[in-house]
């Protein structure tokens, strides 16, 4: 299929999803007819007239649509991975919903900015629980009629020559006297917190059930915990956790390291703008015939054993570029204002060939990332065929973050870092892959390089000490996280 015909194919999968996933992540029954009615390819947002009440109403409608979409998307991974009867054949519907949701999120941010321009509100980005949300407050240049209710007076009847009244006084449009702010606040944090509390209660209930079963059997065989700790060279023994499934085995060799840079942390709202990857062998010699040098942005990086380096740049929609992203520009040096699709940059989620090329590389050998669940979550909602390949056991993921946490003697708990400092920057410096005078670059290829160099140094030291993969709790084979098969 070419162009955007895959959106129609995605909607054709709705009966499969409806049969397996009647409710969303918040326990609400999904209206699949509503999902079928959405124009996923061309936008699900509301374009308002340029009046305060129209902007308010459009923002309210878009928030409601985003909440519905994201609750569905959040449940799709669980439904797909636990569909053991394979009723759901493809993951393209969640990818299509995420595609539409990203554009919807751009529309929301555009309206937030428009409201600021018209002095309807002031926007601050605040950390609330598990996420950062946009908080709307009355514009400081006007007089809120009721701070508790978040109402903004636009009537201009106070006699004050405030900036808040300028738009109303100088425009031919008759503005309403007030615009409510309390019903257009971002509810994302409250939704995520409630979702987390439900998961916590479910885990508690399961543990209680397991403990009761163990007592009934007069055995601890079914009780949780009890797995052997890997331990590290300092005698500090971190508790096993779910990340340990991503640890490498003692036979790991050829791997591809990958790192992505994005416009935010949510794969259903944000865009991939930079991908860097390279290959390295952890045990066998570097392949003959590969170029021996590569010019990284950091001149003090040496290619060493790395080969097959690649750097890919992607763009964002014009609406996203117009708003800019100061945080990402400061972190990575990538200014999205120059990455608009109108400036010739291709969007990753609109580039099937780029997705296919990346998937081919991800399935050839294990891929390595630092905090690999981040990359995995983005690939699930951006790369055609990735979710299907992962579920079929054709993808193996290795993570250097649990290597740092479990096996690095420098990753000791402190008050600032209760589980040790396991950032890529700290891990690379402890493993001699990054000079202490320099910091992690936050570009895909450069970060992939220091990660693989650190991993290779670390594995060599662990092998010499008979620790890590070569210790009592180490794994044979390649290791890593994969589905449907043992390694």
């Amino acid at each position: 299929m070419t162009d955007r015909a895959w959106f129609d194919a995605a909607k054709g999968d709705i009966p499969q999803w409806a049969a397996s996933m009647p409710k969303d992540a918040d326990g609400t029954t999904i209206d699949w007819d509503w999902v079928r009615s959405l124009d996923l390819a061309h936008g699900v947002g509301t374009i308002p007239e340029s009046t305060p009440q129209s902007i308010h109403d459009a923002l309210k409608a878009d928030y409601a649509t985003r909440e519905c979409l994201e609750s569905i998307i959040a449940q799709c991974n669980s439904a797909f991975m636990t569909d053991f009867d394979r009723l759901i054949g493809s993951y393209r519907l969640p990818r299509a919903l995420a595609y539409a949701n990203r554009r919807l999120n751009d529309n929301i941010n555009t309206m937030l900015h428009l409201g600021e321009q018209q002095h309807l509100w002031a926007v601050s980005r605040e950390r609330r629980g598990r996420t950062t949300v946009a908080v709307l407050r009355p514009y400081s240049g006007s007089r809120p009629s009721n701070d508790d209710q978040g109402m903004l007076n636009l009537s201009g009847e106070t006699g004050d020559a405030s900036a808040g009244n300028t738009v109303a006084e100088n425009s031919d449009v008759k503005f309403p006297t007030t615009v409510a702010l309390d019903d257009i606040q971002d509810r994302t944090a409250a939704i995520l917190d409630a979702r987390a509390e439900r998961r916590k209660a479910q885990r508690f209930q399961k543990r209680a059930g397991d403990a009761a079963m163990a007592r009934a059997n007069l055995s601890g065989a079914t009780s949780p915990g009890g797995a052997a700790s890997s331990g590290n060279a300092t005698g500090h023994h971190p508790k096993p956790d779910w990340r340990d499934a991503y640890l490498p085995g003692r036979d790991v060799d050829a791997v591809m390291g990958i790192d992505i840079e994005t416009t935010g942390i949510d794969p259903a709202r944000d865009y991939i703008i930079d991908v860097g990857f390279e290959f390295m062998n952890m045990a066998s010699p570097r392949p003959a015939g590969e170029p021996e040098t590569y010019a990284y942005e950091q001149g003090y990086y040496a290619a060493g054993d790395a080969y097959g380096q690649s750097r890919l740049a992607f763009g964002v929609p014009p609406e996203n570029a117009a708003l800019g992203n100061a945080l990402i520009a400061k972190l990575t040096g990538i200014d999205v204002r120059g990455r608009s699709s109108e400036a010739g940059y291709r969007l990753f989620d609109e580039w099937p060939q780029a997705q296919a090329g990346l998937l081919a590389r991800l399935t050839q050998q294990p891929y390595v990332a630092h905090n690999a669940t981040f990359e995995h979550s983005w690939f699930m909602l951006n790369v055609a065929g990735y979710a299907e390949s992962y579920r079929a056991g054709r993808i193996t993921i290795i993570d250097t973050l649990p290597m740092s946490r479990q096996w690095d003697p420098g990753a000791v708990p402190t008050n600032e870092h209760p589980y040790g400092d396991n950032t890529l920057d700290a891990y690379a410096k402890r493993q001699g892959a990054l000079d202490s005078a320099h910091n992690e670059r936050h570009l895909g290829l450069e970060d992939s390089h220091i990660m693989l160099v650190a991993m290779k140094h670390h594995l060599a030291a662990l092998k010499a000490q008979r620790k890590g993969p070569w210790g009592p709790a180490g794994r044979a084979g390649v290791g890593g996280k994969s589905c449907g098969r043992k390694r």
Side-chain angles (χ1 to χ4, degrees), residues 118-414:
Q118 292 204 7
H119 299 163
L120 306 183
W121 50 65
V123 181
S124 61
R125 306 281 174 173
E126 300 179 11
R127 187 74 184 180
R128 299 272 178 95
R130 293 165 173 79
T131 190
T132 299
V133 298
V135 179
L136 305 187
R137 292 187 173 86
Y139 177 67
S140 60
S142 64
R143 291 172 178 264
S145 61
N146 187 327
D147 286 340
D148 292 335
Q149 295 181 7
M151 303 293 286
L152 177 61
N153 185 354
L154 294 174
S155 65
E157 296 176 354
T158 63
D160 293 344
S162 68
N165 293 327
T166 302
V167 175
E169 292 169 349
N170 297 338
S171 173
D172 293 333
V173 178
K174 299 300 182 182
F175 288 168
T177 57
T178 57
V179 172
L181 301 185
D182 56 336
D183 62 344
I184 51 173
Q185 298 291 351
D186 188 343
R187 298 177 59 247
T188 303
I191 292 170
L192 294 180
D193 286 346
R195 203 174 289 167
E197 286 300 314
R198 286 193 296 272
R199 290 196 300 265
K200 182 179 178 181
Q202 290 168 357
R203 288 194 298 269
F204 178 82
Q205 187 176 27
K206 182 180 184 303
R207 286 195 296 267
D210 290 343
M213 182 67 71
R215 289 193 298 271
N217 292 339
L218 301 179
S219 166
T222 60
S223 62
S229 172
S230 303
N232 64 29
T234 64
H236 168 59
H237 298 278
K239 294 180 180 179
D241 70 8
W242 59 269
R243 296 177 186 84
D244 294 351
Y246 295 86
L247 289 167
R250 64 179 68 102
D251 299 320
V252 65
D253 189 16
V255 297
M256 183 183 88
I258 189 166
D259 182 77
I260 63 174
E261 302 301 332
T262 62
T263 59
I265 63 172
D266 190 337
R269 293 187 182 182
D270 302 307
Y271 299 89
I272 294 175
I273 53 175
D274 182 76
V275 176
F277 59 83
E278 66 179 26
F279 300 83
M280 189 177 290
N281 296 352
M282 297 291 117
S284 63
R286 186 174 180 276
E290 292 286 346
E292 295 185 0
T293 60
Y294 184 86
Y296 298 92
E297 185 194 82
Q298 312 300 84
Y300 47 86
Y301 284 5
D305 295 331
Y307 58 95
Q309 296 92 340
S310 186
R311 186 196 308 276
L312 308 172
F314 301 100
V316 297
E319 296 78 9
N320 189 284
L323 294 172
N325 194 320
L327 177 63
I328 296 303
K330 181 179 180 181
L331 183 68
T332 68
I334 300 173
D335 189 344
V336 298
R337 292 176 299 179
R339 287 285 185 97
S340 169
S341 56
E342 292 181 340
Y345 280 87
R346 296 286 298 271
L347 276 66
F348 184 74
D349 64 359
E350 291 184 351
W351 198 346
Q353 294 84 357
Q355 297 169 34
L358 182 58
L359 179 62
R361 289 165 174 81
L362 293 171
T363 55
Q364 286 174 355
Q365 68 293 294
Y367 79 80
V368 183
H370 195 80
N371 190 20
T373 53
F374 180 82
E375 275 74 14
H376 173 71
S377 66
W378 285 80
F379 296 157
M380 289 285 287
L381 289 178
N382 279 274
V383 179
Y386 177 88
E388 295 86 342
S389 295
Y390 177 71
R391 188 175 70 171
R394 294 192 292 270
I395 289 176
T396 299
I397 311 170
I398 294 174
D399 194 341
T400 51
L401 189 150
M403 287 183 64
S404 173
R405 185 176 184 272
Q406 295 286 7
W407 297 338
D408 189 331
V412 293
T414 63

Side-chain angles (χ1 to χ4, degrees), residues 94-127:
R95 288 194 298 107
L97 297 179
Y99 175 97
N101 196 68
R102 292 183 198 106
R103 278 74 184 168
L104 173 63
N105 196 60
D106 290 345
N107 201 56
I108 287 171
N109 287 327
T110 297
M111 284 193 288
L112 291 174
H113 181 64
L114 181 60
E116 283 190 297
Q117 287 183 319
Q118 292 204 7
H119 299 163
L120 306 183
W121 50 65
V123 181
S124 61
R125 306 281 174 173
E126 300 179 11
R127 187 74 184 180

